[in-house]
Amino acid sequence: MTTTIYGIKACETMKKARSWLEAHGVDYAFHDYKAAGIERKKLEGWVKKVGWEKLLNRAGTTFRKLPDADKEGLDEAKAIGLMLEKPSMIKRPVLETGRDLLVGFKPEDYAAKFA
């Protein structure tokens, strides 16, 4: 099973998630979507699995700084466009383990997945 964690290197939540994986001996690849971007097809696949509402980080600074016009009338297409344009608006981490996808970091969710 290939495990990839997607996020931003400097994010504190990412650091916690990566530390958890390392402490529990989980091999993983790291994809920094702020530096390397994210493919539309990948993002659309995530949206199909968990919904754009779960992926879009509305609490983050990047989203909060958007003009009101960009925040209004949000739907799947608009949210995907925003996340592609500014990947830091994608909630993090996104952990992909073959068929499963975990969004955000909760130690109990990781423990259930890798137990």
Side-chain angles (χ1 to χ4, degrees), residues 53-115:
E53 297 91 341
K54 188 169 186 174
L55 278 173
L56 183 64
N57 182 7
R58 296 177 196 224
T61 305
T62 305
F63 183 83
R64 289 194 317 260
K65 286 184 177 179
L66 286 175
D68 288 340
D70 288 345
K71 297 178 198 175
E72 292 171 7
L74 274 175
D75 61 11
E76 182 176 307
K78 190 171 184 179
I80 288 172
L82 287 171
M83 290 185 280
L84 287 171
E85 183 182 331
K86 300 177 187 292
S88 56
M89 276 195 268
I90 302 170
K91 194 170 191 175
R92 48 197 180 265
V94 175
L95 186 75
E96 198 172 48
T97 62
R99 295 184 318 208
D100 295 324
L101 193 69
L102 299 176
V103 179
F105 174 65
K106 292 183 181 169
E108 59 273 17
D109 292 347
Y110 277 41
K113 177 66 194 159
F114 296 106

Side-chain angles (χ1 to χ4, degrees), residues 9-61:
K9 190 174 189 174
C11 170
E12 285 302 314
T13 305
M14 284 296 303
K15 290 176 184 177
K16 290 175 189 174
R18 292 176 74 186
S19 292
W20 190 98
L21 292 170
E22 290 161 11
H24 291 84
V26 178
D27 289 329
Y28 67 92
F30 170 59
H31 179 95
D32 185 334
Y33 49 59
K34 189 169 185 179
I38 191 75
E39 294 176 10
R40 174 179 286 277
K41 186 175 180 179
K42 173 75 68 185
L43 186 59
E44 288 172 347
W46 291 351
V47 166
K48 283 183 182 168
K49 280 191 172 187
V50 301
W52 67 267
E53 297 91 341
K54 188 169 186 174
L55 278 173
L56 183 64
N57 182 7
R58 296 177 196 224
T61 305

